[in-house]
Amino acid sequence: MNSIAPVYNEDSGTPARDLNGSLDALAPVFKASGDPMRLEILRVLQRDTFGVLELSQIFEMRQSGMSHHLKVLATAGLLEPQREGNAIFYRRPLQSGTDSLQDVTIHRIFELVDQVALPVHLSTRIQEIRNQRADQSLAFFARHAEQFREQQELIAAFELYAEPVAELLQQRSELEGWQQILEIGPGEGAFLAELSQLGESVVALDNSKDMLEKARATCDAGSLHNVTLVEGTTDLLRQTHAGHFDLVVANMVLHHVPSPADIFADATALIRPGGSLVISDLCSHDQNWAKANCGDLWLGFEPEELTAWASDAGLETGETLFIGLRNGFQIQVREFRKPD
């Protein structure tokens, strides 16, 4: 009976990768990446997700030209479009979990371009985009601080995600013995009473002065004397509190921040080795009204996105819980740990 003998690499004697069809798939990848401008676009999209207009602003290029570059990169599999309401944003594809030659090549290209430092002018324009997003979010909360709870509960009642998060933290606290806790974006401070019982000291960080005043009233009413309210952002706090916290919590915050991936990087810097990051947030959805009514910058996230951002930041994935809501939304509660 005839059999097909395996092909071996001449140097190592090990079976070679099956290349049937692979070279045809590689050709558009190399063609699309063989342009300095497109490589710079890939570098800019290392962790961020940008729309066509934002990328045109960053590169000072006409929208038609930028759209062409993005179409070529997306067709080759180097980028993937992501719909956010009526707008299309672009990001790098998530790890597929396969070891196909095409996927390996694409992520090897990412590794190489990431070794090149971003030029100062691009970094400056990226920060301008983030500031614009942050100003948009701040303006919303300044206008709707008095109706914060009502606005948020259009999507999910506080108890629906707070209780599962609290249960997870209570189970962990018996083993961990947390002392220093940080909550990012405490809102009106409804979860601070829970955190104040779990640790010796709690820092509540928010960039909205209006929301901090709400949280202050909550702390005063509940006599939460071990809670310190801080106005600012995670990238500023890490300059003074690196490795300070045993636990960082962010409840329904990521979809309001300009660059969600940065929260993972900043949290990793803020957490001591062996500490934890616990996040609750929306799964990806298509209900665009949440942007206008609730001040959302992002329409939720795929679980794989959070896992990828955490892995890139050096965190390991722990518990995962999904909560389905009657109005069609789904919440994910995620635990990540910083290795000892």
Side-chain angles (χ1 to χ4, degrees):
M1 184 168 113
N2 293 332
S3 62
I4 299 176
V7 178
Y8 286 86
N9 289 321
E10 294 183 2
D11 295 337
S12 63
T14 59
R17 186 189 298 271
D18 181 8
L19 294 180
N20 285 338
S22 294
L23 292 181
D24 288 339
L26 285 184
V29 174
F30 286 121
K31 183 177 180 180
S33 60
D35 181 281
M37 171 60 70
R38 292 176 196 150
L39 291 176
E40 284 197 325
I41 293 172
L42 294 178
R43 178 68 183 85
V44 163
L45 290 169
Q46 178 185 15
R47 289 193 316 208
D48 285 289
T49 302
F50 290 114
V52 178
L53 291 177
E54 291 176 331
L55 287 167
S56 298
Q57 178 180 334
I58 291 171
F59 286 95
E60 295 186 330
M61 176 183 292
R62 295 183 59 165
Q63 182 180 347
S64 58
M66 179 56 65
S67 295
H68 171 73
H69 285 304
L70 295 173
K71 181 179 180 179
V72 172
L73 289 168
T75 301
L78 287 156
L79 292 181
E80 59 184 20
Q82 174 181 336
R83 179 168 290 279
E84 292 285 340
N86 297 323
I88 300 294
F89 286 72
Y90 288 85
R91 69 182 182 189
R92 292 186 186 179
L94 301 174
Q95 289 277 7
S96 64
T98 71
D99 62 349
S100 71
L101 194 59
Q102 182 182 16
D103 286 343
V104 170
T105 302
I106 286 173
H107 289 283
R108 181 57 178 155
I109 290 172
F110 294 160
E111 291 173 2
L112 291 172
V113 299
D114 289 344
Q115 295 179 25
V116 180
L118 267 176
V120 174
H121 68 281
L122 292 183
S123 298
T124 301
R125 292 173 197 153
I126 289 173
Q127 190 57 50
E128 290 172 355
I129 298 293
R130 291 174 177 170
N131 291 342
Q132 291 168 10
R133 293 175 177 175
D135 290 343
Q136 176 184 339
S137 182
L138 282 173
F140 177 88
F141 286 109
R143 290 194 305 269
H144 300 285
E146 296 301 323
Q147 301 87 31
F148 174 78
R149 179 65 68 90
E150 292 83 355
Q151 297 286 344
Q152 292 299 94
E153 293 193 351
L154 290 172
I155 295 178
F158 171 75
E159 293 76 14
L160 290 176
Y161 57 87
E163 290 178 3
V165 173
E167 183 178 345
L168 172 63
L169 295 181
Q170 288 165 3
Q171 294 173 354
R172 290 289 184 268
S173 67
E174 298 175 3
L175 300 174
E176 303 294 340
W178 293 316
Q179 298 297 314
Q180 307 296 327
I181 298 175
L182 168 68
E183 182 174 17
I184 302 171
E188 293 184 333
F191 202 66
L192 291 174
E194 182 71 39
L195 294 178
S196 69
Q197 299 177 38
L198 297 177
E200 177 182 303
S201 175
V202 179
V203 171
L205 178 73
D206 206 304
N207 65 342
S208 170
K209 185 178 297 184
D210 298 283
M211 297 315 302
L212 280 179
E213 288 304 314
K214 292 287 184 182
R216 189 180 308 280
T218 299
C219 291
D220 292 342
S223 298
L224 307 182
H225 302 302
N226 63 338
V227 176
T228 302
L229 303 175
V230 176
E231 182 180 355
T233 55
T234 53
D235 59 325
L236 294 176
L237 188 67
R238 65 184 287 182
Q239 297 177 17
T240 56
H241 287 71
H244 180 77
F245 298 100
D246 304 296
L247 169 69
V248 174
V249 177
N251 279 322
M252 302 294 279
V253 169
L254 286 185
H255 58 271
H256 289 299
V257 302
S259 180
D262 284 351
I263 295 295
F264 288 85
D266 292 341
T268 301
L270 289 163
I271 297 171
R272 65 164 178 78
S276 297
L277 167 66
V278 174
I279 285 177
S280 65
D281 217 289
L282 296 171
C283 293
S284 182
H285 63 88
D286 59 2
Q287 302 194 47
N288 191 46
W289 61 265
K291 288 195 170 188
N293 292 76
C294 304
D296 295 9
L297 293 177
W298 309 104
L299 299 182
F301 308 95
E302 298 293 342
E304 293 81 5
E305 284 185 277
L306 304 194
T307 300
W309 289 332
S311 177
D312 289 344
L315 299 173
E316 299 173 346
T317 300
E319 291 287 334
T320 297
L321 172 67
F322 294 98
I323 306 166
L325 307 181
R326 291 181 179 178
N327 57 5
F329 290 101
Q330 188 177 39
I331 294 174
Q332 52 185 311
V333 178
R334 308 293 306 277
E335 177 194 27
F336 303 98
R337 293 181 60 85
K338 184 174 181 178
D340 287 323

